[in-house]
């Protein structure tokens, strides 16, 4: 189950790297605006906020990926700690998005599914 937890943590990390790119790199582009449903004016006005938020997602991805690597290297305590910190934060951020705006159910589930499943697999592994 640790391998499953690690793989799911890497999937969660990849999703959050993509979110980082959307928020910090593509925010004002037509593609970024289409994903978030913003106008060009809104995107320009919120660019700094999105840039910062994107880096939060990148840092969570790094934490989860580092945890997955540690699990693969048989460093269970360190790996589990990092996966719990990274994937736990990702999951809770998805819950916040879901509870704050029900129209964002799909993106919230995309954001929280893989990290939540990683945590479930980790819990089922009986370190």
């Amino acid at each position: 189950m640790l391998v499953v937890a690690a793989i799911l943590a890497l999937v969660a990390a990849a999703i959050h790297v993509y979110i980082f790119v959307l928020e910090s790199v593509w925010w004002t582009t037509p593609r970024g605006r289409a994903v978030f449903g913003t106008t060009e004016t809104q995107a320009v006005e919120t660019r700094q906020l999105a840039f910062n938020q994107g880096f939060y997602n990148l840092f969570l991805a790094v934490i989860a990926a580092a945890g997955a690597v540690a699990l693969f290297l048989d460093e269970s305590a360190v790996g589990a700690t990092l996966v719990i910190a990274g994937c736990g934060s990702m999951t809770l951020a998805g819950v916040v998005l879901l509870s704050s705006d029900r129209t964002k159910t799909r993106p919230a589930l995309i954001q929280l599914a893989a990290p939540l499943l990683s945590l479930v697999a980790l819990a089922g592994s009986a370190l």
Side-chain angles (χ1 to χ4, degrees):
M1 290 299 278
L2 284 178
V3 171
V4 172
I7 290 169
L8 287 165
L10 290 174
V11 169
I15 291 166
H16 281 73
V17 168
Y18 177 67
I19 294 169
F20 157 75
V21 171
L22 283 171
E23 293 176 336
S24 295
V25 180
W26 294 343
W27 185 256
T28 57
T29 67
R31 178 173 172 82
R33 291 194 323 268
V35 169
F36 292 100
T38 58
T39 66
E40 188 172 354
T41 301
Q42 290 169 325
V44 169
E45 290 174 352
T46 58
R47 177 178 40 213
Q48 189 64 30
L49 188 102
F51 183 78
N52 189 53
Q53 182 63 34
F55 275 90
Y56 277 92
N57 283 298
L58 179 62
F59 300 148
L60 291 176
V62 169
I63 293 167
V69 169
L71 288 176
F72 284 129
L73 295 175
D74 206 26
E75 296 291 338
S76 298
V78 171
T81 300
L82 291 170
V83 167
I84 291 167
C87 289
S89 295
M90 291 172 181
T91 300
L92 292 174
V95 169
V96 168
L97 179 59
L98 181 62
S99 64
S100 66
D101 185 352
R102 292 298 172 137
T103 67
K104 303 287 190 271
T105 298
R106 184 175 182 272
L109 292 176
I110 290 169
Q111 180 177 345
L112 71 81
L116 177 60
L117 292 172
S118 176
L119 293 172
V120 169
L122 189 62
S125 72
L127 296 171

